[in-house]
């Protein structure tokens, strides 16, 4: 029986000013645990006394505070907490030119007859999402559908998915107004590449579709057409459902790993979990990472050409890696909304593993 003093994740999320997916992410990251998890349904339940902690976490993440620092603030005294916040504000101010303002969402307008009007989105947000998944497409004459992006409209979100067989990435967008209709189709990747630069300059874009194209219409009357591919897109839901159980969870700074990969020329890079700490295995040795790890000792390897794009396009300052073994797919998640997930296949490691 449900405890009447506890509330569902949706109700708690609304009171805390967070999303349900953000709360799930914070639970997995050990930042904000639910008061109880229902043993039968697995539903997370929260108490009213946790709202203060949730509000603090939300405000810290609003200024881009990394998760390891958020954890430190739980036990920091007032002086140290103020110092950590000031350091983060200084860091954000130094990178202020990278912050983009997204236009306020307008009311979706109805399109012309004969087409299905789906939703309206900020153009810059849609352009960024397309950019993030296009890197996972591949030109394959035998399977041209792998050069496309599968787009799905759900009642509560829009999902873009792409795969090159070695990676599978899904990016979700949550419009302020639910899509007017459910819809799914695989869009030509070249058409989307052409549209990206235009979308970045379009505050709002309306999406409507027919049996051959998805049209992107701006407020100034311009329209771009993305062709629909006829081949069946791989069953990405089956891939996700078939993943083995997670054995290790690693949370690390994205910038730290990306910087290391950019400074070294290596075909492969390894990730080691040892004693609850993560480390990179590089050609010139082992580099300890500022992060946390669960599970027994483990080493696995990734092709740099596969792993670097997944990391560099991750959202936010932290990434979470769900590992399943040295030869099993790993899932990379990022952003407070948990809205970018990439499944990456490990590769065979080198003959000699660097020693610390």
């Amino acid at each position: 029986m449900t405890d009447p003093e506890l509330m569902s994740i949706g109700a708690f999320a609304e009171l805390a000013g967070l999303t349900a997916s953000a709360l799930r992410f914070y639970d997995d990251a050990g930042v904000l645990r639910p008061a109880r998890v229902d043993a039968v349904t697995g539903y997370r339940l929260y108490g009213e006394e946790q709202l203060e902690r949730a509000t603090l976490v939300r405000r810290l993440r609003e200024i881009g505070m990394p998760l390891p620092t958020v954890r430190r603030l739980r036990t920091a005294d007032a002086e140290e907490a103020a110092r950590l916040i000031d350091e983060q504000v200084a860091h954000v101010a130094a990178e202020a030119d990278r912050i983009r303002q997204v236009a306020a969402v307008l009311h979706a307008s109805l399109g012309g007859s004969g087409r299905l009007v789906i939703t309206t989105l900020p153009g810059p947000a849609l352009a960024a999402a397309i950019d993030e998944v296009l890197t996972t497409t591949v030109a394959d004459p035998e399977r041209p559908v792998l050069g496309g992006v599968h787009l799905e409209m759900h009642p509560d979100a829009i999902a873009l998915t792409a795969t090159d067989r070695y990676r599978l990435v899904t990016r979700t967008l949550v419009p302020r107004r639910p899509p007017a209709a459910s819809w799914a189709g695989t869009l030509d990747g070249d058409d989307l590449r052409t549209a990206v630069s235009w979308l970045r300059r379009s505050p709002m874009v309306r999406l409507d579709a027919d049996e051959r194209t998805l049209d992107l219409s701006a407020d100034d009357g311009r329209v771009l057409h993305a062709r629909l591919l006829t081949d069946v897109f791989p069953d990405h839901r089956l891939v996700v459902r078939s993943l083995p159980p997670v054995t290790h969870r690693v949370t690390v700074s994205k910038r730290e790993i990306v910087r290391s990969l950019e400074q070294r020329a290596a075909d492969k890079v390894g990730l080691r979990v040892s004693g609850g700490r993560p480390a990179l295995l590089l050609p010139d040795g082992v580099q300890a990472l500022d992060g946390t790890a669960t599970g027994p000792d483990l080493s696995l390897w990734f092709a740099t050409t596969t792993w670097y794009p997944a990391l560099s396009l991750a959202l936010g300052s932290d990434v979470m890696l769900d590992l399943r073994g040295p030869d099993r797919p790993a899932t990379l998640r990022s952003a407070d909304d948990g809205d970018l997930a990439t499944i990456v296949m490990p590769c065979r490691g080198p003959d000699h593993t660097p020693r610390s």
Side-chain angles (χ1 to χ4, degrees):
M1 177 176 288
T2 302
D3 189 335
E5 298 298 322
L6 299 179
M7 65 188 84
S8 69
I9 190 171
F12 185 78
E14 184 174 359
L15 290 175
L18 293 165
T19 63
S21 55
L23 290 172
R24 287 190 285 268
F25 185 82
Y26 292 150
D27 180 14
D28 291 340
V31 170
L32 182 62
R33 301 287 195 189
R36 185 164 69 86
V37 177
D38 190 284
V40 177
T41 65
Y43 291 163
R44 295 169 170 86
L45 302 172
Y46 294 81
E48 186 175 354
E49 71 280 359
Q50 294 180 280
L51 284 172
E52 182 177 356
R53 171 66 182 168
T55 302
L56 174 62
V57 171
R58 173 173 57 80
R59 289 172 176 167
L60 291 173
R61 296 299 280 176
E62 284 175 352
I63 64 171
M65 187 72 77
L67 287 176
T69 310
V70 173
R71 295 191 195 97
R72 288 173 60 186
L73 278 164
R74 297 183 67 176
T75 56
D77 57 28
E79 182 178 353
E80 183 183 6
R83 178 181 60 79
L84 292 172
I85 292 172
D86 289 343
E87 288 177 354
Q88 179 61 23
V89 171
H91 174 75
V92 172
E95 297 186 353
D97 59 320
R98 300 174 59 185
I99 300 175
R100 296 180 293 178
Q101 296 295 332
V102 179
V105 178
L106 304 174
H107 292 295
S109 59
L110 295 176
S113 60
R115 301 191 63 81
L116 177 65
V117 180
I118 301 171
T119 192
T120 301
L121 290 169
L126 181 57
I130 291 173
D131 258 342
E132 288 154 3
V133 299
L134 277 176
T135 61
T136 313
T137 60
V138 62
D140 186 338
E142 296 184 359
R143 299 198 67 188
V145 73
L146 297 182
V149 173
H150 192 67
L151 188 147
E152 297 172 281
M153 306 287 182
H154 304 294
D156 57 351
I158 298 169
L160 295 89
T161 302
T163 182
D164 61 2
R165 294 195 186 94
Y166 301 100
R167 285 178 295 158
L168 188 151
V169 59
T170 296
R171 173 73 159 92
T172 59
L173 294 170
V174 181
R176 292 188 181 275
R177 291 180 178 274
S182 296
W183 183 88
T186 304
L187 306 176
D188 183 90
D190 291 335
D191 289 350
L192 292 178
R193 287 183 181 88
T194 301
V196 164
S197 61
W198 172 77
L199 287 170
R200 291 196 186 100
R201 301 189 299 272
S202 303
M204 296 300 300
V205 177
R206 191 184 75 241
L207 280 63
D208 47 25
D210 62 18
E211 60 184 14
R212 294 185 178 180
T213 65
L214 177 77
D215 285 358
L216 309 168
S217 305
D219 291 337
D220 61 7
R222 292 176 299 165
V223 181
L224 285 184
H225 309 283
R227 291 167 294 175
L228 295 175
L229 302 180
T230 56
D231 291 348
V232 177
F233 192 78
D235 190 346
H236 53 289
R237 292 191 184 87
L238 177 61
V239 172
V240 174
R241 290 196 301 268
S242 302
L243 289 173
V246 173
T247 58
H248 300 68
R249 176 160 286 143
V250 179
T251 305
V252 290
S253 164
K254 178 188 77 173
R255 295 189 188 96
E256 186 178 9
I257 300 180
V258 169
R259 190 181 304 115
S260 295
L261 297 182
E262 290 176 344
Q263 293 172 350
R264 295 169 174 85
D267 295 336
K268 301 176 182 179
V269 61
L271 179 66
R272 172 182 292 173
V273 173
S274 180
R277 303 291 296 180
L280 285 182
L281 304 177
L282 300 163
D284 53 355
V286 179
Q287 175 186 329
L289 296 173
D290 182 16
T292 60
T294 64
D297 291 359
L298 171 72
S299 294
L300 70 164
W301 293 83
F302 299 96
T304 303
T305 53
T306 299
W307 207 32
Y308 178 83
L311 286 163
S312 61
L313 290 173
L315 305 176
S317 57
D318 305 290
V319 292
M320 183 182 296
L321 289 157
D322 290 337
L323 309 179
R324 300 172 176 86
D327 57 354
R328 301 298 180 91
T331 302
L332 186 152
R333 292 191 283 155
S334 68
D336 294 348
D337 288 341
D339 58 1
L340 180 65
T342 305
I343 298 174
V344 185
M345 284 299 300
C347 66
R348 186 184 183 90
D351 295 334
H352 300 286
T353 300
R355 297 182 179 275
S356 55

